[in-house]
Amino acid sequence: MHYIRLYTAVLAVLTAVHASSIPRPISCSSLLEVTVSSGVQVLTSVDVAAGALSVPSYSGGTILNSFPLCHLSGSIKYGADGLTLAANGANTLTWELYLPVTANYNGRFMVVGDSGYAGSIDTTTMMTEFNLGYAVAGSDGGHSLAETGNATYASFMTDVAQLKAWIHNSIAITTPTVRALATLYYAASPKYSYYYGCSTGGAQGYAVASLYPDLFDGIYAGSPGNWYSHLILSFLWNALHTQGNGSMSQDALNFITTKVLAACDALDGVNDNLIENPSECKFDITSLKCKSGQSATSSGTTVCLTAAQVKAAEAVYAGPKNTLTGKEIYPGFALGSEKAWLLQETTLYKEFSELILKEVVFNDSNYNISTFNFGSDVSKADSIASPLIDSINPSLSSFEARGGKLITTQGWADAYNAPTWPIEFLEQINAARLTDENSEFIQVYMVPGGGHCGPTSAYPHVPGTYDVLDSLVPWVEKGIVPTQMLSTGAIDGTNATRKLCPYPQNAKYVRGSIDDWTSYTCA
Ligand SMILES: *[C@@H]1O[C@H](CO)[C@@H](O)[C@H](O)[C@H]1NC(C)=O
Ligand SMILES: *[C@@H]1O[C@H](CO)[C@@H](O)[C@H](O)[C@H]1NC(C)=O
Ligand SMILES: *[C@@H]1O[C@H](CO)[C@@H](O)[C@H](O)[C@H]1NC(C)=O
Ligand SMILES: *[C@@H]1O[C@H](CO)[C@@H](O)[C@H](O)[C@H]1NC(C)=O
Ligand SMILES: *[C@@H]1O[C@H](CO)[C@@H](O)[C@H](O)[C@H]1NC(C)=O
């Protein structure tokens, strides 16, 4: 394993610096002088008072550090393989590390992942977890924002080392260095190590579980884009099927969701403007087709769907199919998710499918994505892009054998990712397991009305903050298999709480307020 070599090298140098036999904590400022390893630089080390470090919050405000910290930042040079550290490496990863002062440290170490094309450090998630007492690090994924580029060009994609670092390796490049620095600061190894990421960060989570199974005791991999090469084909499929007369306005999409909710909301016995399990909802979209001679809109409001819109919606629900083999390329979208489809119609294919097809799959900046052949070109994405950007090996036996635990959350109304992919991948993982099916090491929590990595404006009354660590930490540290997960923080400001259940269970109403998670049981 590459990272063992790398970690040993880092530790050897650190041990030499820290020669006394009984380790003693060292000051924040002296970490600046530590020579960590070839290729690694500590660039800043600052003691920060409580409330003196401000980062953006998820909702557009700011979050401050609740207690003092040692704030470190630095860089790591890595080589052409996208992994090996080298002082003369051509590529630079930047990282930050928040170390709570000892009195506020919970003994746990965490690395957070990236989103989208990375290029910047997710200080929002870092600060959120820091305030719980974790020593938290994050990286830019192995390339700078400048290399992440714009909607038409991303230079990191044409650099194979940076491309491999992005999803597969940047966490493994970062972790040994930052964990060694934390160990020096506290004069003790962290008791447990966690990884926390969503979206691209979810893909990075599955990559470390598969490629670097010894790095973390617990992994949170939310809304994982771990089949990236096909995720972008799903974006492209949805966009191409909703162009021209197939396009659906926001009003038309709202119309569909309203009708779907009217048909399926109460299936779980609770009228809450929400479908608990969309796979149990049988809704025939053709029932919304305009009668002959009827106009699709009346005074600007959608009253029915044109034949082309019905076909388009059917294509989005179905997901891309290989036109040669008929096989699924990626799953489709769920009933009740329609309100969020405008992103599929107008944006995602440009930002992701177009760039990756041009720069990675076809290596042709003039490639016309409308000509992508969903039969003969799929194998090209598989052979060229998949080995660089996917993490879809279902054999996680090394991670399982070392006692690792992994939790995925996935919103049923995610505007980006077709929601059933994490379920399909879970089934692949379980099929690949050699050990007792009854001993769990991975759980998927589906979120009714959940968006991409949190809340969606399509369901503002649905709590969008998932208490992942309250499930993952006791599982890792005490062997307590989680049976439920609390979610809070609805963006409409109401105080509803909800119960999320490990797949294949759903939250079943028992008694009491429908907005109180204790009124439900997982079954
Ligand atoms: C994107 O970046 C490339 C390379 O730097 C540049 O040539 C191009 O004009 C930029 N496009 C936009 C839309 O900014
Ligand atoms: C959509 O419009 C095209 C022409 O632009 C036409 O060929 C096609 O039949 C239309 N589709 C439907 C379902 O009406
Ligand atoms: C992509 O095309 C350029 C020429 O346009 C070539 O120099 C480069 O080697 C190609 N890259 C790959 C990975 O084939
Ligand atoms: C791209 O391909 C489509 C489908 O073949 C064609 O209609 C369109 O004109 C092409 N666009 C460009 C810019 O060549
Ligand atoms: C939520 O707020 C309502 C009204 O303010 C209150 O009656 C209810 O007890 C609260 N529920 C919870 C779970 O806090």
Side-chain angles (χ1 to χ4, degrees):
M1 289 274 165
H2 296 291
Y3 78 91
I4 291 178
R5 208 170 62 222
L6 194 150
Y7 188 45
T8 310
V10 170
L11 271 188
V13 178
L14 287 173
T15 310
V17 168
H18 198 67
S20 77
S21 54
I22 300 164
R24 282 180 299 114
I26 70 172
S27 71
C28 187
S29 58
S30 58
L31 288 172
L32 197 59
E33 271 107 61
V34 165
T35 308
V36 180
S37 128
S38 162
V40 175
Q41 271 203 293
V42 182
L43 296 170
T44 63
S45 77
V46 183
D47 280 301
V48 181
L53 182 61
S54 165
V55 303
S57 76
Y58 297 119
S59 55
T62 56
I63 324 178
L64 304 176
N65 56 311
S66 303
F67 32 78
L69 74 143
C70 168
H71 183 190
L72 300 177
S73 71
S75 65
I76 301 177
K77 293 262 188 209
Y78 64 94
D81 63 355
L83 178 63
T84 307
L85 311 197
N88 60 354
N91 304 288
T92 305
L93 172 149
T94 62
W95 53 266
E96 285 190 54
L97 176 60
Y98 296 169
L99 296 168
V101 289
T102 305
N104 297 102
Y105 174 48
N106 67 14
R108 303 181 180 99
F109 168 78
M110 179 184 284
V111 177
V112 306
D114 296 293
S115 60
Y117 285 147
S120 60
I121 298 169
D122 181 1
T123 53
T124 305
T125 303
M126 282 179 67
M127 188 61 84
T128 304
E129 307 309 335
F130 165 85
N131 281 337
L132 299 172
Y134 290 82
V136 189
S139 89
D140 65 359
H143 61 267
S144 69
L145 210 50
E147 288 156 326
T148 297
N150 56 40
T152 57
Y153 181 71
S155 69
F156 91 93
M157 274 184 211
T158 58
D159 181 318
V160 172
Q162 291 185 2
L163 194 60
K164 284 160 99 173
W166 174 42
I167 289 175
H168 286 183
N169 298 328
S170 60
I171 306 301
I173 293 172
T174 309
T175 299
T177 289
V178 290
R179 187 158 52 197
L181 288 166
T183 299
L184 273 185
Y185 182 67
Y186 299 114
S189 301
K191 290 198 199 77
Y192 296 96
S193 296
Y194 293 90
Y195 170 79
Y196 193 103
C198 196
S199 191
T200 287
Q204 291 169 322
Y206 277 104
V208 285
S210 161
L211 300 171
Y212 309 103
D214 289 334
L215 283 184
F216 298 99
D217 303 298
I219 291 176
Y220 169 55
S223 300
N226 60 317
W227 199 7
Y228 232 104
S229 68
H230 282 215
L231 177 62
I232 61 158
L233 298 184
S234 145
F235 294 160
L236 181 61
W237 172 274
N238 293 332
L240 294 178
H241 282 85
T242 53
Q243 300 299 302
N245 51 10
S247 76
M248 291 166 279
S249 66
Q250 186 62 57
D251 187 64
L253 297 170
N254 294 351
F255 167 77
I256 303 175
T257 294
T258 302
K259 295 292 184 184
V260 170
L261 276 172
C264 293
D265 177 2
L267 281 181
D268 62 343
V270 182
N271 269 301
D272 54 357
N273 213 20
L274 190 62
I275 304 170
E276 170 65 23
N277 183 358
S279 57
E280 283 170 5
C281 171
K282 306 286 174 247
F283 181 82
D284 182 4
I285 188 74
T286 61
S287 66
L288 302 182
K289 194 156 135 186
C290 301
K291 311 267 179 306
S292 105
Q294 187 185 12
S295 165
T297 57
S298 166
S299 317
T301 301
T302 304
V303 293
C304 58
L305 300 179
T306 66
Q309 288 176 322
V310 169
K311 275 187 78 170
E314 283 172 340
V316 178
Y317 291 131
K321 299 280 186 296
N322 187 311
T323 53
L324 291 177
T325 63
K327 271 179 58 181
E328 172 189 296
I329 294 172
Y330 205 73
F333 279 72
L335 287 161
S337 70
E338 306 82 2
K339 259 191 194 177
W341 287 1
L342 218 52
L343 220 51
Q344 297 284 335
E345 294 188 44
T346 60
T347 306
L348 293 171
Y349 79 102
K350 285 190 203 141
E351 285 181 10
F352 292 93
S353 321
E354 182 157 352
L355 273 184
I356 292 175
L357 289 175
K358 281 181 172 174
E359 306 297 344
V360 182
V361 178
F362 291 96
N363 189 25
D364 171 7
S365 55
N366 293 317
Y367 178 71
N368 178 350
I369 55 168
S370 302
T371 65
F372 184 85
N373 186 315
F374 280 88
S376 55
D377 287 337
V378 177
S379 59
K380 226 174 168 133
D382 288 338
S383 62
I384 297 172
S386 184
L388 298 168
I389 63 176
D390 289 348
S391 35
I392 51 170
N393 179 355
S395 173
L396 301 181
S397 52
S398 301
F399 181 67
E400 179 180 4
R402 58 93 75 213
K405 305 288 186 271
L406 189 153
I407 287 180
T408 284
T409 58
Q410 172 64 53
W412 274 113
D414 187 330
Y416 293 71
N417 296 10
T420 53
W421 162 245
I423 297 175
E424 288 183 14
F425 193 50
L426 175 70
E427 282 163 358
Q428 292 178 23
I429 290 167
N430 282 331
R433 290 180 74 191
L434 306 169
T435 47
D436 178 10
E437 282 289 327
N438 295 320
S439 69
E440 287 181 84
F441 79 105
I442 175 167
Q443 289 184 337
V444 173
Y445 289 79
M446 298 303 290
V447 186
H452 190 60
C453 301
T456 160
S457 58
Y459 291 96
H461 65 303
V462 171
T465 303
Y466 318 133
D467 243 348
V468 175
L469 293 173
D470 281 346
S471 294
L472 185 59
V473 168
W475 197 10
V476 164
E477 300 181 9
K478 301 202 176 94
I480 301 170
V481 181
T483 56
Q484 59 186 21
M485 189 185 293
L486 168 67
S487 68
T488 58
I491 52 178
D492 69 359
T494 53
N495 63 357
T497 57
R498 275 185 202 279
K499 184 164 292 189
L500 306 178
C501 298
Y503 179 85
Q505 295 185 350
N506 299 298
K508 293 262 190 306
Y509 177 72
V510 183
R511 73 183 79 78
S513 162
I514 63 168
D515 287 330
D516 183 345
W517 80 309
T518 63
S519 304
Y520 297 80
T521 185
C522 289

PDB file of all heavy atoms in Angstrom, residues 396-413:
ATOM      1  N   LEU A 396     -15.208  -4.190  -0.086  1.00  0.00           N
ATOM      2  CA  LEU A 396     -14.630  -3.349   0.970  1.00  0.00           C
ATOM      3  C   LEU A 396     -14.181  -4.240   2.121  1.00  0.00           C
ATOM      4  O   LEU A 396     -14.244  -3.862   3.291  1.00  0.00           O
ATOM      5  CB  LEU A 396     -15.666  -2.319   1.430  1.00  0.00           C
ATOM      6  CG  LEU A 396     -16.196  -1.374   0.344  1.00  0.00           C
ATOM      7  CD1 LEU A 396     -17.201  -0.389   0.924  1.00  0.00           C
ATOM      8  CD2 LEU A 396     -15.059  -0.621  -0.330  1.00  0.00           C
ATOM      9  N   SER A 397     -13.705  -5.456   1.775  1.00  0.00           N
ATOM     10  CA  SER A 397     -13.420  -6.446   2.823  1.00  0.00           C
ATOM     11  C   SER A 397     -12.294  -5.997   3.747  1.00  0.00           C
ATOM     12  O   SER A 397     -12.334  -6.284   4.941  1.00  0.00           O
ATOM     13  CB  SER A 397     -13.110  -7.801   2.192  1.00  0.00           C
ATOM     14  OG  SER A 397     -12.111  -7.656   1.228  1.00  0.00           O
ATOM     15  N   SER A 398     -11.296  -5.275   3.236  1.00  0.00           N
ATOM     16  CA  SER A 398     -10.205  -4.848   4.123  1.00  0.00           C
ATOM     17  C   SER A 398     -10.717  -3.826   5.133  1.00  0.00           C
ATOM     18  O   SER A 398     -10.359  -3.859   6.304  1.00  0.00           O
ATOM     19  CB  SER A 398      -9.055  -4.227   3.327  1.00  0.00           C
ATOM     20  OG  SER A 398      -8.563  -5.157   2.411  1.00  0.00           O
ATOM     21  N   PHE A 399     -11.571  -2.929   4.658  1.00  0.00           N
ATOM     22  CA  PHE A 399     -12.147  -1.922   5.563  1.00  0.00           C
ATOM     23  C   PHE A 399     -13.022  -2.609   6.612  1.00  0.00           C
ATOM     24  O   PHE A 399     -12.951  -2.309   7.805  1.00  0.00           O
ATOM     25  CB  PHE A 399     -12.949  -0.907   4.749  1.00  0.00           C
ATOM     26  CG  PHE A 399     -13.564   0.182   5.578  1.00  0.00           C
ATOM     27  CD1 PHE A 399     -12.775   1.131   6.226  1.00  0.00           C
ATOM     28  CD2 PHE A 399     -14.944   0.271   5.722  1.00  0.00           C
ATOM     29  CE1 PHE A 399     -13.355   2.134   6.999  1.00  0.00           C
ATOM     30  CE2 PHE A 399     -15.522   1.270   6.486  1.00  0.00           C
ATOM     31  CZ  PHE A 399     -14.724   2.204   7.124  1.00  0.00           C
ATOM     32  N   GLU A 400     -13.813  -3.568   6.161  1.00  0.00           N
ATOM     33  CA  GLU A 400     -14.672  -4.290   7.100  1.00  0.00           C
ATOM     34  C   GLU A 400     -13.824  -5.075   8.107  1.00  0.00           C
ATOM     35  O   GLU A 400     -14.100  -5.053   9.311  1.00  0.00           O
ATOM     36  CB  GLU A 400     -15.591  -5.256   6.334  1.00  0.00           C
ATOM     37  CG  GLU A 400     -16.499  -6.043   7.253  1.00  0.00           C
ATOM     38  CD  GLU A 400     -17.423  -7.021   6.525  1.00  0.00           C
ATOM     39  OE1 GLU A 400     -17.318  -7.163   5.300  1.00  0.00           O
ATOM     40  OE2 GLU A 400     -18.253  -7.647   7.208  1.00  0.00           O
ATOM     41  N   ALA A 401     -12.761  -5.725   7.602  1.00  0.00           N
ATOM     42  CA  ALA A 401     -11.943  -6.581   8.472  1.00  0.00           C
ATOM     43  C   ALA A 401     -11.222  -5.772   9.547  1.00  0.00           C
ATOM     44  O   ALA A 401     -10.993  -6.276  10.650  1.00  0.00           O
ATOM     45  CB  ALA A 401     -10.930  -7.352   7.627  1.00  0.00           C
ATOM     46  N   ARG A 402     -10.882  -4.519   9.264  1.00  0.00           N
ATOM     47  CA  ARG A 402     -10.187  -3.722  10.279  1.00  0.00           C
ATOM     48  C   ARG A 402     -11.196  -3.086  11.253  1.00  0.00           C
ATOM     49  O   ARG A 402     -10.845  -2.277  12.091  1.00  0.00           O
ATOM     50  CB  ARG A 402      -9.284  -2.667   9.644  1.00  0.00           C
ATOM     51  CG  ARG A 402      -9.978  -1.696   8.715  1.00  0.00           C
ATOM     52  CD  ARG A 402     -10.434  -0.420   9.364  1.00  0.00           C
ATOM     53  NE  ARG A 402      -9.306   0.471   9.609  1.00  0.00           N
ATOM     54  CZ  ARG A 402      -9.219   1.293  10.629  1.00  0.00           C
ATOM     55  NH1 ARG A 402     -10.207   1.381  11.491  1.00  0.00           N
ATOM     56  NH2 ARG A 402      -8.175   2.068  10.772  1.00  0.00           N
ATOM     57  N   GLY A 403     -12.468  -3.444  11.092  1.00  0.00           N
ATOM     58  CA  GLY A 403     -13.493  -2.932  12.006  1.00  0.00           C
ATOM     59  C   GLY A 403     -14.090  -1.617  11.569  1.00  0.00           C
ATOM     60  O   GLY A 403     -14.803  -0.970  12.335  1.00  0.00           O
ATOM     61  N   GLY A 404     -13.806  -1.199  10.344  1.00  0.00           N
ATOM     62  CA  GLY A 404     -14.313   0.077   9.845  1.00  0.00           C
ATOM     63  C   GLY A 404     -15.832   0.069   9.708  1.00  0.00           C
ATOM     64  O   GLY A 404     -16.442  -0.974   9.452  1.00  0.00           O
ATOM     65  N   LYS A 405     -16.429   1.247   9.914  1.00  0.00           N
ATOM     66  CA  LYS A 405     -17.876   1.398   9.759  1.00  0.00           C
ATOM     67  C   LYS A 405     -18.128   2.561   8.801  1.00  0.00           C
ATOM     68  O   LYS A 405     -17.416   3.576   8.847  1.00  0.00           O
ATOM     69  CB  LYS A 405     -18.542   1.715  11.105  1.00  0.00           C
ATOM     70  CG  LYS A 405     -18.234   0.692  12.201  1.00  0.00           C
ATOM     71  CD  LYS A 405     -18.952  -0.635  11.960  1.00  0.00           C
ATOM     72  CE  LYS A 405     -18.768  -1.621  13.107  1.00  0.00           C
ATOM     73  NZ  LYS A 405     -17.560  -2.466  12.938  1.00  0.00           N
ATOM     74  N   LEU A 406     -19.146   2.407   7.960  1.00  0.00           N
ATOM     75  CA  LEU A 406     -19.438   3.437   6.957  1.00  0.00           C
ATOM     76  C   LEU A 406     -20.925   3.746   6.939  1.00  0.00           C
ATOM     77  O   LEU A 406     -21.749   2.827   6.931  1.00  0.00           O
ATOM     78  CB  LEU A 406     -18.957   2.966   5.580  1.00  0.00           C
ATOM     79  CG  LEU A 406     -18.978   3.979   4.440  1.00  0.00           C
ATOM     80  CD1 LEU A 406     -17.906   3.623   3.393  1.00  0.00           C
ATOM     81  CD2 LEU A 406     -20.328   4.081   3.752  1.00  0.00           C
ATOM     82  N   ILE A 407     -21.251   5.027   6.954  1.00  0.00           N
ATOM     83  CA  ILE A 407     -22.650   5.450   6.851  1.00  0.00           C
ATOM     84  C   ILE A 407     -22.821   6.379   5.653  1.00  0.00           C
ATOM     85  O   ILE A 407     -22.025   7.303   5.449  1.00  0.00           O
ATOM     86  CB  ILE A 407     -23.124   6.150   8.153  1.00  0.00           C
ATOM     87  CG1 ILE A 407     -23.316   5.107   9.267  1.00  0.00           C
ATOM     88  CG2 ILE A 407     -24.423   6.934   7.917  1.00  0.00           C
ATOM     89  CD1 ILE A 407     -23.791   5.692  10.588  1.00  0.00           C
ATOM     90  N   THR A 408     -23.854   6.095   4.870  1.00  0.00           N
ATOM     91  CA  THR A 408     -24.238   6.963   3.754  1.00  0.00           C
ATOM     92  C   THR A 408     -25.637   7.504   4.025  1.00  0.00           C
ATOM     93  O   THR A 408     -26.493   6.765   4.517  1.00  0.00           O
ATOM     94  CB  THR A 408     -24.211   6.158   2.438  1.00  0.00           C
ATOM     95  OG1 THR A 408     -22.844   5.989   2.030  1.00  0.00           O
ATOM     96  CG2 THR A 408     -24.961   6.865   1.318  1.00  0.00           C
ATOM     97  N   THR A 409     -25.842   8.786   3.735  1.00  0.00           N
ATOM     98  CA  THR A 409     -27.192   9.328   3.703  1.00  0.00           C
ATOM     99  C   THR A 409     -27.485   9.723   2.254  1.00  0.00           C
ATOM    100  O   THR A 409     -26.570  10.069   1.500  1.00  0.00           O
ATOM    101  CB  THR A 409     -27.353  10.586   4.574  1.00  0.00           C
ATOM    102  OG1 THR A 409     -26.424  11.570   4.120  1.00  0.00           O
ATOM    103  CG2 THR A 409     -27.103  10.281   6.042  1.00  0.00           C
ATOM    104  N   GLN A 410     -28.739   9.634   1.863  1.00  0.00           N
ATOM    105  CA  GLN A 410     -29.110  10.005   0.492  1.00  0.00           C
ATOM    106  C   GLN A 410     -30.528  10.548   0.479  1.00  0.00           C
ATOM    107  O   GLN A 410     -31.460   9.847   0.891  1.00  0.00           O
ATOM    108  CB  GLN A 410     -28.999   8.794  -0.441  1.00  0.00           C
ATOM    109  CG  GLN A 410     -29.546   9.032  -1.844  1.00  0.00           C
ATOM    110  CD  GLN A 410     -28.766  10.100  -2.613  1.00  0.00           C
ATOM    111  OE1 GLN A 410     -27.557  10.036  -2.741  1.00  0.00           O
ATOM    112  NE2 GLN A 410     -29.460  11.117  -3.108  1.00  0.00           N
ATOM    113  N   GLY A 411     -30.696  11.775   0.010  1.00  0.00           N
ATOM    114  CA  GLY A 411     -32.014  12.378  -0.095  1.00  0.00           C
ATOM    115  C   GLY A 411     -32.801  11.783  -1.255  1.00  0.00           C
ATOM    116  O   GLY A 411     -32.266  11.632  -2.351  1.00  0.00           O
ATOM    117  N   TRP A 412     -34.088  11.500  -1.005  1.00  0.00           N
ATOM    118  CA  TRP A 412     -34.957  11.004  -2.086  1.00  0.00           C
ATOM    119  C   TRP A 412     -35.216  12.114  -3.109  1.00  0.00           C
ATOM    120  O   TRP A 412     -35.601  11.842  -4.239  1.00  0.00           O
ATOM    121  CB  TRP A 412     -36.279  10.511  -1.518  1.00  0.00           C
ATOM    122  CG  TRP A 412     -36.298   9.083  -1.050  1.00  0.00           C
ATOM    123  CD1 TRP A 412     -36.429   8.638   0.231  1.00  0.00           C
ATOM    124  CD2 TRP A 412     -36.224   7.901  -1.876  1.00  0.00           C
ATOM    125  NE1 TRP A 412     -36.437   7.250   0.253  1.00  0.00           N
ATOM    126  CE2 TRP A 412     -36.315   6.775  -1.024  1.00  0.00           C
ATOM    127  CE3 TRP A 412     -36.085   7.680  -3.262  1.00  0.00           C
ATOM    128  CZ2 TRP A 412     -36.283   5.463  -1.489  1.00  0.00           C
ATOM    129  CZ3 TRP A 412     -36.053   6.378  -3.725  1.00  0.00           C
ATOM    130  CH2 TRP A 412     -36.143   5.283  -2.858  1.00  0.00           C
ATOM    131  N   ALA A 413     -35.079  13.380  -2.698  1.00  0.00           N
ATOM    132  CA  ALA A 413     -35.358  14.496  -3.615  1.00  0.00           C
ATOM    133  C   ALA A 413     -34.075  15.260  -3.963  1.00  0.00           C
ATOM    134  O   ALA A 413     -34.109  16.452  -4.244  1.00  0.00           O
ATOM    135  CB  ALA A 413     -36.397  15.431  -2.996  1.00  0.00           C
TER     136      ALA A 413
END
